[in-house]
Amino acid sequence: MELLIPGLILVALMVYASTRIKRVAAEAFEPETVENEWFSVEKPEGFLNVIAPPDGLEFEAYSKDFGVGEASEFKAARLEARVYRNRNLKYAVAALREAVRPVSETPEVIDGRKYVVVEAESVEKGVGFREVYKLAEKDGSVVELKARTLEDINEDLGAKVEAMIASFIVK
């Protein structure tokens, strides 16, 4: 009897903690607007925004889905944003062309700001990826969004990635 009451209290605390953790984890994958001094982007449901991205990144998000088969160790989609200081857009796009295998390059103008969208393909460990880079210049720096997805992702996830790329706006 002396152990029953502390045992029940312990079980109740464990149930409460477990429920709380599940709720917080689910909320992390909810849609949200991510903003900083450089840009804003709309993160859709099913993506996690990394609160403290690694050095060199201003933003990092990835899907909760993984690939299948050979691609099972890779996230289905990953997005990163970084700022290259003291660069102009023309130089950044030329450097990108040399670094990746571009498939297409499209200029855009959004709210009077010029963007360049470069689509490329890459292979890592025998797995094919589609990469989309969206670059714009701000205050003598270049802001770049890189979206990297597995070649074979479902339509719904592909639409979410395209929506994130479209929503990426340099301030």
Side-chain angles (χ1 to χ4, degrees):
M1 186 68 180
E2 296 109 23
L3 295 177
L4 181 62
I5 293 174
L8 289 175
I9 292 172
L10 180 62
V11 168
L13 287 173
M14 289 172 54
V15 168
Y16 172 77
S18 173
T19 304
R20 180 87 174 120
I21 289 169
K22 286 179 185 175
R23 187 175 338 120
V24 170
E27 289 173 359
F29 287 99
E30 291 296 316
E32 68 178 303
T33 300
V34 179
E35 289 188 71
N36 66 20
E37 66 183 281
W38 294 97
F39 61 86
S40 76
V41 65
E42 297 292 326
K43 179 189 75 73
E45 181 181 359
F47 281 79
L48 179 73
N49 172 25
V50 177
I51 299 298
D55 284 343
L57 293 181
E58 295 290 324
F59 167 75
E60 181 180 23
Y62 55 83
S63 65
K64 63 177 156 182
D65 300 333
F66 282 87
V68 294
E70 294 177 351
S72 62
E73 69 181 79
F74 296 103
K75 289 287 189 179
R78 179 175 297 276
L79 289 92
E80 303 172 347
R82 57 178 39 97
V83 176
Y84 297 103
R85 300 196 192 313
N86 302 318
R87 289 202 185 157
N88 65 39
L89 187 58
K90 186 177 179 181
Y91 174 83
V93 171
L96 183 59
R97 277 189 211 119
E98 290 181 24
V100 300
R101 296 186 320 207
V103 174
S104 69
E105 185 176 315
T106 310
E108 290 182 358
V109 177
I110 302 170
D111 293 334
R113 186 180 304 273
K114 182 180 178 185
Y115 293 80
V116 176
V117 179
V118 177
E119 188 172 336
E121 296 174 344
S122 67
V123 176
E124 183 180 333
K125 297 183 181 179
V127 176
F129 291 91
R130 174 181 177 253
E131 297 176 346
V132 177
Y133 299 83
K134 186 173 181 180
L135 301 96
E137 192 171 343
K138 177 187 176 181
D139 300 332
S141 298
V142 173
V143 183
E144 173 193 87
L145 175 71
K146 175 185 176 184
R148 185 175 197 223
T149 61
L150 294 169
E151 280 183 337
D152 300 320
I153 60 172
N154 68 50
E155 231 177 87
D156 183 46
L157 185 59
K160 288 178 180 181
V161 171
E162 291 300 322
M164 279 183 82
I165 294 167
S167 74
F168 180 76
I169 303 294
V170 174
K171 294 181 176 181

